Amino acid sequence: YGLFEAREAMRQSGEAILVEGYFDVLRCVEAGVENAVAPCGTALTDEQARTIRRYANTVIVVFDGDEAGIRAALRSVGVLAAAGLTVRATSLPDGLDPDDFIRKHGAETFKQQLQNASGFVSFYANANETRLGSIKGRTQVATELFDVIRVLDDPLRQDEYVKLVANEIGLDEFRCRASYRDFIEGLQHRANMEQAAPPSSD
């Protein structure tokens, strides 16, 4: 939603601002953020991500600051990263969406939020800070990030992101790389088992 109107602003800035809903886009444009777009009421698709890539090389994901919004943001990050886009992200305080945030705090404060958007690994680590106090929590967060990193088609980018995961959530880098390899091997093993399974008799 809003892509036709946002195309030129996306080309000029090299960035797209991805928000969640129609009203968020309208409020962003009213606030002078003309490169804002939103999925059309559904989860972001691969095709939509490739379309964004035609006009911009970086996407700032700005979804709602509640838990559901953060999960939606992470899903979008994976789709965008797989399309070859550089992804930054920010969550708005108090669970506000961009529409409510701009009306409450003003356009300039919202633009500052965009400027301060971090890489998606840092974003997700910060959003799950309460889980990082235990080994189990850090392992779970790492695994959730691995599921995003695996879709990247560039092994060098994967390697750099795994290093970021280790740094951001406080894991030994060597062990984090080993865990990532185990994660990928586990996915491949499950896929092979499913392919080898006999067809259902139903």
Side-chain angles (χ1 to χ4, degrees), residues 1-2 18-25 37-45 48 63 72 75-76:
Y1 177 76
L18 183 67
V19 296
E20 197 165 10
Y22 305 123
F23 288 109
D24 296 326
V25 171
V37 293
C40 295
T42 62
L44 186 75
T45 66
Q48 287 172 332
F63 276 18
R75 288 194 297 270
S76 296

Side-chain angles (χ1 to χ4, degrees), residues 130-202:
T130 57
R131 298 167 62 193
L132 302 183
S134 68
I135 294 174
K136 180 180 179 181
R138 289 195 295 273
T139 301
Q140 289 174 338
V141 172
T143 300
E144 290 158 10
L145 285 166
F146 290 165
D147 202 36
V148 175
I149 294 168
R150 70 181 176 86
V151 304
L152 304 177
D153 58 6
D154 183 347
L156 291 177
R157 289 182 71 203
Q158 289 183 355
D159 189 65
E160 285 301 310
Y161 277 122
V162 171
K163 181 178 179 179
L164 281 174
V165 170
N167 291 338
E168 289 291 341
I169 67 178
L171 294 175
D172 176 78
E173 185 178 331
F174 177 80
R175 291 184 182 276
C176 191
R177 292 184 189 281
S179 295
Y180 180 69
R181 289 194 295 269
D182 290 344
F183 174 78
I184 296 300
E185 289 172 3
L187 291 178
Q188 293 172 341
H189 177 70
R190 284 195 292 274
N192 292 338
M193 291 292 289
E194 289 173 0
Q195 290 178 356
S200 173
S201 59
D202 294 339

Side-chain angles (χ1 to χ4, degrees), residues 21 25 30 97 137 178 199:
V25 171
E30 185 179 87
D97 60 25

